[in-house]
């Protein structure tokens, strides 16, 4: 089994910054793509950004130039640096990870989510 634990959410004023972390632990041979998603109240979960094991990134248009994803492969951890935050960034942020075991099979795991509120 694999567990993902997010941290770093909270309340921030518009224009402020937050850094989210997500650490994976458990039976892990390798982690392929890791990503961040978010779900605002009354809305569907949406992609924020992803990063491959090789460092290739992908961002939603709404966060390009403001958010930056990075990962520490040795620590099985992914980060999300969020700058110039806007009220519309308010949501619960979830990380996920596509994990391979030694047998070669893959499974997608999700964290429990960390809330981010952008408000004055």
């Amino acid at each position: 089994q694999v567990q993902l634990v997010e941290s770093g959410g909270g309340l921030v004023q518009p224009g402020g910054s937050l850094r989210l972390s997500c650490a994976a632990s458990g039976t892990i041979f390798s982690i392929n793509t890791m990503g961040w998603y978010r779900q605002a109240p009354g809305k569907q979960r949406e992609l924020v950004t992803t990063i491959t094991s090789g460092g290739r990134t992908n961002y939603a248009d709404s966060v390009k130039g403001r958010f930056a994803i990075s990962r520490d492969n040795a620590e099985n951890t992914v980060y999300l640096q969020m700058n110039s935050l806007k009220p519309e960034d308010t949501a619960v942020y979830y990380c996920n990870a596509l994990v391979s075991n030694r047998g070669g099979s893959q499974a997608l795991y999700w964290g429990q989510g960390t809330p981010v509120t952008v408000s004055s």
Side-chain angles (χ1 to χ4, degrees):
Q1 268 292 3
V2 175
Q3 297 80 40
L4 300 181
V5 178
E6 299 112 334
S7 61
L11 173 64
V12 64
Q13 292 187 342
S17 298
L18 279 177
R19 189 188 193 214
L20 306 183
S21 301
C22 172
S25 62
T27 307
I28 298 171
F29 177 69
S30 65
I31 301 180
N32 305 305
T33 301
M34 302 184 81
W36 290 95
Y37 289 69
R38 67 186 181 186
Q39 187 166 17
K43 294 187 177 181
Q44 290 188 329
R45 190 173 298 188
E46 63 177 6
L47 169 71
V48 177
T49 179
T50 60
I51 185 168
T52 68
S53 57
R56 188 170 67 248
T57 59
N58 176 54
Y59 292 93
D61 288 342
S62 59
V63 306
K64 282 181 181 176
R66 301 188 298 122
F67 290 11
I69 189 172
S70 61
R71 64 189 281 176
D72 182 334
N73 291 330
E75 297 294 330
N76 292 330
T77 300
V78 63
Y79 303 96
L80 181 63
Q81 178 67 43
M82 304 186 293
N83 300 323
S84 302
L85 282 161
K86 305 175 181 180
E88 50 264 43
D89 294 317
T90 295
V92 178
Y93 284 70
Y94 299 88
C95 68
N96 72 4
L98 187 60
V99 179
S100 296
N101 62 25
R102 289 189 177 275
S105 62
Q106 293 184 337
L108 184 67
Y109 294 91
W110 290 87
Q112 81 287 353
T114 185
V116 171
T117 302
V118 185
S119 175
S120 54

